Amino acid sequence: FLIGLLGALWLLGSGHGEQQPPETAAQRCFCQVSGYLDDCTCDVETIDRFNNYRLFPRLQKLLESDYFRYYKVNLKRPCPFWNDISQCGRRDCAVKPCQSDEVPVGIKSASYKYSEEANNLIEECEQAERLGAVDESLSEETQKAVLQWTKHDDSSDNFCEADDIQSPDAEYVDLLLNPERYTGYKGPDAWKIWNVIYEENCFKPQTIKRPLNPLASGQGKSEENTFYSWLEGLCVEKRAFYRLISGLHASINVHLSARYLLQETWLEKKWGHNITEFQQRFDGILTEGEGPRRLKNLYFLYLIELRALSKVLPFFERPDFQLFTGNKIQDEENKMLLLEILHEIKSFPLHFDENSFFAGDKKEAHKLKEDFRLHFRNISRIMDCVGCFKCRLWGKLQTQGLGTALKILFSEKLIANMPESGPSYEFHLTRQEIVSLFNAFGRISTSVKELENFRNLLQNIH
Ligand code: FAD
């Protein structure tokens, strides 16, 4: 109806009653989502081809493996910013945690990951959970490195406030059984979260209004112009920060439109693409140009995570690194698949150049990086205020994944000690970080693939 109404308004507005609106629905969503991305040398079409045909299918396979499907998360952490979180109570917001016997012992128990000798040092090695996994037959040299890692405090590198996974409230969740999709979480509660994120954590002064903000009244074209001239005036890092968050927001909204609750009977629920929902969020006319801009931000986020994965390849190439679940054959196959994916990613010709970030005057760059890190950490804490558990789960996972990507891109240890040529034993990632990094990228990769599906579905609609 809305689309028809718009078409009619266009005809009236144009003053040429006999003309037809010039574009298809697909063009209205996607015509600006092509060509080069701002602040990058990469274009949308190259990403589409690379992702949809070369990466997406293999990544999906990897994410179905035991190592990647079980994510430990504390969904009961209190919101640190306000008290009145109303739990939405919707059935589609529920998260079903794993029973203790569902999760492979190799994933649950840190002690299974090490040799007997290393187990004797379990006190010191307890935190070696951080490592992701270490081979059972560690060489002496590697064992020393393990202890060095475990003693090392990397909090200054972290862009996220990670859950304490030792807490009794932290539980394993099977991500395949709790997929990200439409939950019905919407309205003022959801807006409040997005609003706090954009208004208080994206370097934006209060006087600059976000276009179409549902919690601000009396907005018009002039606010939009002020907003974009403010954004363009920002330094590249702060602009990137906004675009990453907006890209994440767009990705979440693509998913809920692609896995929408289409039909419900007492026997079953039918999930699928809701074209109207997608158009309302991304159609250039319906969103006064905002939708296509948001989709471009999604591609920007894709590029950032892609670059982080290419950069961290040497960490995963270390011979002692395993995707440890306790099933030796499966673990080896998974590692092969993981390396295949990472090599494919490394071969991508138009990687984002992170060296343009935090460059220039050392003191200023340091301060800017610290601000960037603290703002992002704050956003990871806001996820504990999301009133729908399913949205909270995926919100936490995706912010942790993006935070891990930023840690990889900007860690001094990685820069100093892990040139592309060789592995470093100072830089490390926990299993939580590894699982969230790949799953978060899997979400963005799925969004890019879904955009192709929506483009096809919208092709013949006016
Ligand atoms: P919203 O998406 O709530 O956006 C609010 C306002 O922000 C918009 O009016 C617009 O002005 C602006 N905006 C919208 N998109 C962008 C963008 N990409 N960039 C910049 N500005 C933008 N719902 C589900 O069904 N399933 C989920 O898994 C899910 N996960 C969520 C996770 C989090 C962390 C949050 C906060 C919400 C989640 N939601 C989820 C809710 C969903 O994101 C929307 O908030 C909800 O569908 C209402 O949408 P809306 O059209 O009112 O605008």
Side-chain angles (χ1 to χ4, degrees), residues 194-322:
W194 289 123
N195 209 47
V196 170
I197 290 176
Y198 289 113
E199 294 297 315
E200 296 173 24
N201 294 284
C202 281
F203 302 100
K204 191 178 77 55
Q206 290 230 310
T207 47
I208 305 289
K209 300 266 188 290
R210 270 191 305 134
L212 307 182
N213 179 1
L215 294 179
S217 54
Q219 290 208 46
K221 236 3 199 197
S222 61
E223 275 86 359
E224 183 194 302
N225 291 339
T226 330
F227 178 80
Y228 286 106
S229 48
W230 161 76
L231 193 65
E232 289 315 311
L234 280 181
C235 63
V236 66
E237 295 84 352
K238 290 184 179 173
R239 189 162 57 239
F241 192 96
Y242 168 80
R243 292 172 62 199
L244 289 177
I245 300 302
S246 170
L248 180 62
H249 190 170
S251 176
I252 289 173
N253 288 354
V254 167
H255 284 295
L256 71 88
S257 311
R259 295 183 91 169
Y260 198 87
L261 180 57
L262 298 177
Q263 214 182 351
E264 183 171 14
T265 65
W266 64 277
L267 260 182
E268 61 164 2
K269 289 178 169 182
K270 194 170 165 230
W271 304 89
H273 295 91
N274 183 331
I275 298 174
T276 315
E277 188 74 29
F278 182 84
Q279 283 175 288
Q280 274 163 5
R281 292 169 191 278
F282 299 109
D283 182 290
I285 296 180
L286 290 175
T287 62
E288 297 175 25
E290 288 297 308
R293 281 193 189 112
R294 291 167 186 168
L295 291 181
K296 273 196 151 181
N297 292 336
L298 192 157
Y299 280 93
F300 180 72
L301 171 62
Y302 183 95
L303 272 188
I304 292 286
E305 296 196 359
L306 192 74
R307 171 63 189 138
L309 287 169
S310 107
K311 194 168 177 184
V312 81
L313 169 62
F315 170 82
F316 291 106
E317 271 183 324
R318 290 194 313 222
D320 57 303
F321 178 83
Q322 290 184 84

Side-chain angles (χ1 to χ4, degrees), residues 132-188:
V134 181
D135 197 292
E136 284 159 9
S137 53
L138 294 170
S139 70
E140 206 175 300
E141 189 193 347
T142 314
Q143 283 184 37
K144 272 193 210 137
V146 169
L147 292 178
Q148 194 191 331
W149 285 326
T150 60
K151 281 183 192 148
H152 170 77
D153 174 17
D154 72 347
S155 56
S156 66
D157 264 356
N158 284 348
F159 281 76
C160 261
E161 187 162 303
D163 282 355
D164 171 13
I165 55 162
Q166 308 303 337
S167 155
D169 284 336
E171 293 178 290
Y172 280 98
V173 172
D174 183 339
L175 297 171
L176 298 182
L177 296 183
N178 294 277
E180 186 186 26
R181 65 187 172 197
Y182 179 76
T183 61
Y185 180 55
K186 56 170 86 159

Side-chain angles (χ1 to χ4, degrees), residues 19-53:
Q19 283 184 356
Q20 292 297 309
E23 299 166 334
T24 64
Q27 286 167 327
R28 282 199 302 274
C29 289
F30 293 108
C31 69
Q32 291 164 42
V33 190
S34 66
Y36 283 94
L37 293 162
D38 306 333
D39 296 329
C40 309
T41 54
C42 184
D43 60 287
V44 167
E45 291 75 11
T46 304
I47 298 178
D48 281 341
R49 276 194 304 275
F50 178 75
N51 180 69
N52 298 352
Y53 302 104

Side-chain angles (χ1 to χ4, degrees), residues 84-104:
D84 60 330
I85 311 180
S86 46
Q87 299 299 346
C88 68
R90 295 178 59 94
R91 254 192 310 156
D92 294 327
C93 277
V95 172
K96 192 170 168 285
C98 297
Q99 300 293 318
S100 61
D101 58 345
E102 277 174 60
V103 184

